[in-house]
């Protein structure tokens, strides 16, 4: 049976679209059971509706604190019984309660070769530092921001003459390939989370799988 998967978004949802397309093409065996947003205007909700995926939205501004919003989100999610939760441009820091409630089930993609460049504005920081390589990392979510066990990285050589926008565009194209792939590995059970580490094909993995792109 396909792994029931919820996708959380806040914006345009190009990563969500990659999941939708790969499932439709039969390349990815996940059951996309819910697309959730904290932003009613997120274009990703429209993408989900077009694909016939159930959607829900709760505005974080209507809640007093982070955890009460997260508990409301979890109540919606739990109605759909997801085994996997994909953060795809979900612009919220998760409370410790939420991370604990879904330990080992939440994936994030971060536009850098973690542990390098956690946080924001990664593309410009990479260019400013004169890095030779940049890319994106899919990882399990833990309490520490952008620091959970890594699963899969896509990397590409940096052209020192390109702009941050161009670099971002190239990195996003990679994300649309590696994020569904990593989620598929978790959904099929080839990758697991155990005691704060990634287990890849039965072995504790201190390093992620790395794919190199042009
Ligand atoms: C991605 O670039 C990802 O790295 C970051 O948020 C962005 C989401 O973009 N976490 P989209 O909404 O999927 O287009």
């Amino acid at each position: 049976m396909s792994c029931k998967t919820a996708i959380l978004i806040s914006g345009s949802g190009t990563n969500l679209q990659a999941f939708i397309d790969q499932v439709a093409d039969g390349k990815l065996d996940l059951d996309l059971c819910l697309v959730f947003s904290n932003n009613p205007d997120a274009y990703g909700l429209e993408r989900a509706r077009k694909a016939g995926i159930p959607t829900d939205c709760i505005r974080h501004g209507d809640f007093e604190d982070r955890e009460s919003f997260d508990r409301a989100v979890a109540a919606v999610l739990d109605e759909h019984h997801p085994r996997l939760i994909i953060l795809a441009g979900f612009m919220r820091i998760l409370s410790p309660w939420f991370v604990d409630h879904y330990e080992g089930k939440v994936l994030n993609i971060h536009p850098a070769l973690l542990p390098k460049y956690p946080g924001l504005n990664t593309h410009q920081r990479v260019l400013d530092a004169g890095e030779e390589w940049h890319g994106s990392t899919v990882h399990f979510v833990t309490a520490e921001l952008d620091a959970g066990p890594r699963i899969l990285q896509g990397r590409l050589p940096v052209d020192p003459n390109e702009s941050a926008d161009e670099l971002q565009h190239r990195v996003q194209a990679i994300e649309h390939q590696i994020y569904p792939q990593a989620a598929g590995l978790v959904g099929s059970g080839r990758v697991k989370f155990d005691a704060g580490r990634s287990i890849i094909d039965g072995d504790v993995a201190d390093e992620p799988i790395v794919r190199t792109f042009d």
Side-chain angles (χ1 to χ4, degrees), residues 9-17 44 47 87-91 108-112 123 136-137 168 171-172 175-176 179:
I9 60 163
S10 298
S12 82
T14 62
N15 277 286
L16 164 66
Q17 190 66 53
R47 296 180 191 271
L87 306 181
F90 187 58
M91 301 305 284
N108 184 43
I109 191 160
H110 178 76
H123 311 294
S136 196
T137 306
Q168 175 177 6
V171 168
Q172 279 180 341
E175 293 187 337
H176 300 157
Y179 208 0

